[in-house]
Amino acid sequence: MGEKLLVKNIGLLQTPVGSECHCGAQQGENQKLKNAAVLCEDGKITAVTADGALPAGSEGAAVYDAGGRLVTPGLVDAHTHLVFGGWRQGEIPLKLRGATYLDILRAGGGILDTVRHTRAASEDELFEKSRAFLDEMLTLGVTTCEIKSGYGLDLETELKQLRVIRRLNDEHPVDIAATYLGAHAIPDEYKGRADEYVDFVCQTVIPRVAEEKLASFCDVFCEDSVFDVAQSRRVLEAGKKHGLRPKIHADEIEEIGGAGLSGEVGAVSAEHLIATGERGMEAMRRGGVIACLLPQTSFYLGKTFAPARRMIELGIPVALASDFNPGSCPSFNLQLSINLGLLRYQMLPEEILTAVTVNAACACGRGNLCGTLEAGKQADLVVWDAPDWEMVCYRFGSNQTKAVVKNGRVTER
Ligand code: NIG
Ligand code: FE
């Protein structure tokens, strides 16, 4: 007989429903069950019950008593750059003297500094460092995440990063969606030759990444003085030709047309969108693109916040993620994105829950596997040390989980 777990005495079970991303009014629809229980078998949810009823077949299951607390689906962090060498606290004095994120990058620092450290690190070093991040993210409630490459830029290091991501997925309980982000910056060896670097990405690296099945998605940093719209389009089209689904870092700092491009190429998601205007949003709506918003990056870079309310009003599905990376967001605490979603995007608590569960799962191509608490989905649950989801959105700065269940296994804090 397989492994069975009964999570019982759930005061409130709150979850979106379904496997598709939710937009407009639907973004704010959550199912709320009182006095609920969830039965998990072999890592999957087999039954959810309410009003004190216990699922048939619970006999013989290990029991976790939630003590009347709130339970939600495991959180999904749909945008991270979690595998990297070094850190960048050395940028602090430059920032205090007024240098912007792009000033530092143009001067050969920023992402390029992390590239130097990532090239120098061994695969094992990168693996151990990243594994420790994932351990902590799991205790913070994250049961699935996306990880991008993009700190190698040369063939060898990009493949090294992607292999680390594959190994993390194989060995760590957190499930990982891998994204190839070779077009993250123009490496020193291609300085002043951005188009040639794009050729290299399209002709040499993408085919190899696809052949080795190292990524499901292809992303590009479409930004002023990084990759323009034409170059970004080339990268995403080349990825598509090799079966990599497009994602795009769009309008993080300047609005140069990335959101519009996301609609044209049929991107799964456009990410950041701090500077996106009406035209970009209209293209996203038409193209069915998920807006993956990263409020901790706005906070850390001292920028404005993406127009989340307008996006919901227009019917664009919104996901919230961390953007964990050593430059623009040195935090992997997705609970802080939840707090900022409330405070700075003015999203409703129910909309936020959808944004960090099913919509984020769809942005990772996994809406059918996780993101809601329903029979047939992975048994990924968070037991919160809170009576309701409003409390999780409202308190900030400390880890509010009580226990995290990943594939039917409990990690108690
Ligand atoms: O999403 N903008 C591009 N990529 C990251 C930052 C990466 C870095 O600074 O190391 C971002 O903000
Ligand atoms: Fe990013």
Side-chain angles (χ1 to χ4, degrees):
M1 201 184 67
E3 223 171 296
K4 258 202 222 182
L5 173 74
L6 174 69
V7 182
K8 67 166 200 187
N9 199 10
I10 299 171
L12 176 66
L13 182 151
Q14 185 164 335
T15 177
V17 176
S19 299
E20 307 294 328
C21 59
H22 294 3
C23 62
Q26 242 206 341
Q27 171 116 25
E29 284 171 16
N30 293 169
Q31 182 182 71
K32 297 179 189 180
L33 303 177
K34 292 213 170 110
N35 204 357
V38 179
L39 182 63
C40 313
E41 292 182 64
D42 296 328
K44 293 236 156 62
I45 297 172
T46 50
V48 177
T49 53
D51 303 323
L54 285 186
S58 303
E59 310 75 34
V63 174
Y64 181 87
D65 187 329
R69 294 181 178 82
L70 167 74
V71 167
T72 69
L75 307 181
V76 178
D77 190 342
H79 181 137
T80 82
H81 307 251
L82 179 149
V83 177
F84 57 85
W87 283 97
R88 303 230 292 275
Q89 73 278 36
E91 289 175 1
I92 292 172
L94 302 174
K95 289 187 172 177
L96 290 176
R97 271 185 254 127
T100 66
Y101 180 83
L102 287 181
D103 290 340
I104 295 170
L105 178 60
R106 286 190 206 106
I111 294 171
L112 294 173
D113 187 54
T114 302
V115 167
R116 287 186 277 276
H117 285 95
T118 308
R119 287 181 179 180
S122 73
E123 205 166 306
D124 284 341
E125 281 163 356
L126 290 173
F127 176 80
E128 291 306 332
K129 180 173 175 177
S130 311
R131 175 162 60 186
F133 295 151
L134 285 176
D135 285 347
E136 204 175 333
M137 283 165 71
L138 183 62
T139 71
L140 287 161
V142 174
T143 48
T144 296
C145 80
E146 184 253 19
I147 305 180
K148 302 173 195 294
S149 69
Y151 291 126
L153 309 182
D154 60 18
L155 177 66
E156 189 195 339
T157 318
E158 285 295 312
L159 294 179
K160 176 172 76 180
Q161 256 193 298
L162 289 167
R163 286 194 191 111
V164 169
I165 295 170
R166 174 153 73 192
R167 203 171 137 202
L168 291 167
N169 187 44
D170 290 346
E171 296 184 25
H172 198 280
V174 170
D175 288 309
I176 299 166
T179 299
Y180 168 59
L181 173 57
H184 193 196
I186 299 144
D188 285 338
E189 59 275 21
Y190 280 91
K191 199 167 178 192
R193 298 187 294 134
D195 278 313
E196 284 171 52
Y197 180 64
V198 170
D199 290 342
F200 165 73
V201 164
C202 296
Q203 291 160 20
T204 307
V205 193
I206 287 176
R208 189 69 189 276
V209 168
E211 186 186 297
E212 293 196 30
K213 297 194 181 357
L214 284 167
S216 311
F217 300 98
C218 180
D219 194 347
V220 56
F221 188 17
C222 181
E223 185 60 62
D224 178 38
S225 62
V226 192
F227 297 99
D228 64 23
V229 170
Q231 292 162 339
S232 301
R233 186 194 309 273
R234 276 214 286 145
V235 170
L236 297 179
E237 291 294 350
K240 268 164 73 174
K241 245 204 301 181
H242 286 87
L244 303 179
R245 299 175 69 197
K247 283 179 171 282
I248 179 165
H249 275 67
D251 307 335
E252 176 174 355
I253 296 158
E254 303 290 341
E255 188 187 19
I256 66 160
L261 178 63
S262 74
E264 285 172 41
V265 299
V268 180
S269 56
E271 327 209 328
H272 286 289
L273 307 167
I274 293 174
T276 304
E278 288 293 320
R279 268 183 48 195
M281 286 190 270
E282 180 51 26
M284 289 178 62
R285 190 194 60 76
R286 262 187 282 120
V289 180
I290 299 171
C292 184
L293 305 184
L294 310 162
Q296 294 188 65
T297 307
S298 287
F299 171 71
Y300 195 77
L301 294 180
K303 297 273 169 196
T304 52
F305 286 77
R309 280 254 61 90
R310 180 69 180 141
M311 289 171 177
I312 292 173
E313 193 177 290
L314 287 171
I316 299 167
V318 172
L320 295 183
S322 72
D323 194 24
F324 175 47
N325 74 75
S328 66
C329 183
S331 153
F332 49 63
N333 185 347
L334 194 55
Q335 293 177 37
L336 289 174
S337 295
I338 290 168
N339 301 132
L340 291 169
L342 178 78
L343 295 171
R344 294 310 186 92
Y345 292 152
Q346 282 153 352
M347 288 170 70
L348 302 172
E350 290 85 353
E351 292 170 337
I352 293 171
L353 184 63
T354 299
V356 290
T357 56
V358 72
N359 281 7
C362 290
C364 295
R366 285 160 198 248
N368 57 332
L369 299 174
C370 59
T372 68
L373 297 179
E374 292 173 278
K377 293 256 184 133
Q378 285 170 195
D380 298 349
L381 290 66
V382 181
V383 181
W384 296 95
D385 198 7
D388 53 44
W389 178 246
E390 284 71 14
M391 181 71 97
V392 178
C393 296
Y394 144 86
R395 288 193 56 197
F396 82 105
S398 54
N399 183 1
Q400 296 187 71
T401 65
K402 171 74 180 158
V404 181
V405 178
K406 175 62 196 164
N407 291 327
R409 297 229 164 115
V410 185
T411 317
E412 182 102 39
R413 283 222 297 135

